[in-house]
Amino acid sequence: MYPLLRNLMFKLDAETSHHLGMNSLKWMEMSGLLGLLMPKMPTVPVHVMGLRFPNPVGLAAGLDKNADYLEALSVLGFGFIEVGTVTPRPQPGNAKPRLFRLPEAQAIINRMGFNNLGVDHLLEQVQAAQTDAIIGINIGKNVDTPVDKALNDYLIGLEKSYPHADYITINISSPNTPGLRNLQFGEALDNLLSALKNRQAELAEEFQRYVPMAVKVAPDLTLEEVQQLSECFSRVGIDAVIATNTTLSREAVAGLAHADEAGGLSGKPVFAKSTEIVRQFRQALPADMPIIAAGGIMSAEDAMQKLEAGAQLIQIYSGLIYQGPKLIQDIVKTIQKRK
């Protein structure tokens, strides 16, 4: 039934259908219907970052920016759910329209711009959610915070999220906040991550609980940049790398409707590039530093390629939009069979 539902939803504006779809999912969960429709998910546990994940398939950040749908998403069978990106203060994001589908390529372009209701709202939702799901909180900076003051925003996000997250992701790779990707390199990156790791250590002592910290990187990296990033992550002791965010490249969708819209491209066209970045990071990082792979996973076989490239966990987003919740089941069952 999902292809029929998707075709109906695709007749609406992309952002309108997103809100309609998520609110419908929430209503189905609250009514008990969603639980009846979803088959039981096999348990394929994996231990990463000191956490036990019931299965290695997670939801990437961006779908549930404010943690408004945690309980409904948990019923779909995800092994973990990453919410956000959240900023210290609420912000509206970029002007609409800012979300575009490219169905011929099974792709999405977004320039949302970290639209969210702020970290305090998100944490209220996380605390209220009745779920045992592993929750990652993805943090970023407000658009009006100068890049040279970005650390202040990340510290606020880290400090407020720490007591309530299972892990925290530092998002320095979105293409939709001006200057953000400059934080991925050189002294700026060293200073940012060193300060965050120092604060993480203090918070671990304060709460008597260690919350791991991941960094999400872009796919638009050279091999030299991957090596430089890996050296930095190893030096400061990052707990995991999420590879990758959306791409600025349009090579794979040239000529399609909306292909020239500004923003980050996700979905099937980014699969090969993001998988190669996973492979390069696996070769450059210490063997015990895990990789969470995201980018263009549209099938169980795609997921297996990410794992074979060196990832320990995977995340989906565009694949969920195009393939539906069955994709989660297909991936988990395939992993279970091949273990």
Side-chain angles (χ1 to χ4, degrees):
M1 283 189 59
Y2 185 78
L4 175 62
L5 179 62
R6 180 193 61 207
N7 291 342
L8 291 172
M9 297 289 281
F10 275 24
K11 295 182 184 301
L12 300 173
D13 163 78
E15 195 162 349
T16 299
S17 66
H18 168 79
H19 292 302
L20 177 60
M22 295 302 289
N23 287 328
S24 298
L25 191 71
K26 187 170 186 174
W27 176 84
M28 290 174 66
E29 185 275 326
M30 292 176 68
S31 70
L33 182 60
L34 188 62
L36 294 174
L37 290 174
M38 295 305 299
K40 184 173 174 60
M41 183 68 69
T43 300
V44 187
V46 56
H47 292 81
V48 179
M49 299 185 289
L51 301 169
R52 182 189 181 276
F53 294 77
N55 71 65
V57 183
L59 176 67
L63 190 76
D64 189 3
K65 291 178 179 292
N66 298 301
D68 291 329
Y69 306 100
L70 277 172
E71 292 170 357
L73 291 166
S74 299
V75 177
L76 297 184
F78 285 109
F80 61 109
I81 298 168
E82 190 167 315
V83 294
T85 298
V86 67
T87 53
R89 291 171 282 110
Q91 61 182 30
N94 293 322
K96 299 178 182 179
R98 54 194 180 180
L99 185 64
F100 307 90
R101 307 185 197 94
L102 290 75
E104 307 94 325
Q106 297 186 63
I108 296 171
I109 291 175
N110 93 84
R111 54 171 179 264
M112 304 299 287
F114 289 174
N115 57 307
N116 74 101
L117 297 176
V119 68
D120 291 335
H121 170 87
L122 179 142
L123 293 176
E124 288 174 4
Q125 300 302 102
V126 170
Q127 292 175 77
Q130 300 294 311
T131 176
D132 294 327
I134 287 181
I135 306 299
I137 298 179
N138 184 304
I139 62 174
K141 81 170 191 71
N142 280 107
V143 68
D144 58 357
T145 300
V147 173
D148 61 355
K149 304 291 185 185
L151 174 60
N152 296 334
D153 279 11
Y154 284 102
L155 284 170
I156 292 169
L158 176 65
E159 291 164 355
K160 289 194 170 187
S161 299
Y162 196 93
H164 311 290
D166 291 304
Y167 72 90
I168 294 170
T169 297
I170 311 303
N171 188 349
I172 52 174
S173 53
S174 169
N176 300 317
T177 296
L180 189 73
R181 286 191 172 189
N182 295 338
L183 295 172
Q184 289 187 113
F185 306 108
E187 187 177 351
L189 179 67
D190 267 319
N191 292 342
L192 177 72
L193 295 185
S194 295
L196 291 173
K197 284 295 295 184
N198 288 339
R199 187 66 182 122
Q200 178 196 34
E202 293 170 354
L203 291 165
E205 180 68 23
E206 179 181 344
F207 290 98
Q208 291 297 294
R209 171 176 173 257
Y210 184 82
V211 177
M213 191 167 70
V215 177
K216 189 167 188 176
V217 300
D220 308 311
L221 299 170
T222 66
L223 179 58
E224 182 180 3
E225 289 168 341
V226 168
Q227 292 170 337
Q228 291 172 352
L229 285 168
S230 298
E231 290 171 5
C232 175
F233 296 159
S234 178
R235 183 167 59 251
V236 303
I238 290 301
D239 297 296
V241 176
I242 302 180
T244 67
N245 213 316
T246 57
T247 181
L248 290 171
S249 172
R250 295 294 186 270
E251 183 179 353
V253 295
L256 296 181
H258 303 306
D260 294 330
E261 293 286 352
L265 174 70
S266 63
K268 190 173 183 178
V270 80
F271 176 79
K273 175 181 282 193
S274 64
T275 306
E276 180 57 28
I277 292 294
V278 170
R279 188 173 291 109
Q280 291 176 7
F281 268 109
R282 184 67 287 151
Q283 293 172 354
L285 289 170
D288 60 352
M289 186 177 293
I291 297 173
I292 303 170
I297 298 170
M298 295 287 164
S299 67
E301 202 52 50
D302 289 344
M304 297 307 298
Q305 287 189 46
K306 297 285 190 185
L307 297 174
E308 290 163 4
Q312 283 71 46
L313 302 170
I314 63 159
Q315 292 179 325
I316 62 173
Y317 179 164
S318 299
L320 181 66
I321 304 302
Y322 280 98
Q323 307 300 328
K326 186 175 181 294
L327 177 61
I328 309 166
Q329 289 257 341
D330 289 346
I331 296 171
V332 173
K333 288 180 178 178
T334 299
I335 292 171
Q336 184 184 45
K337 286 178 184 176
R338 298 194 187 183
K339 278 212 161 188

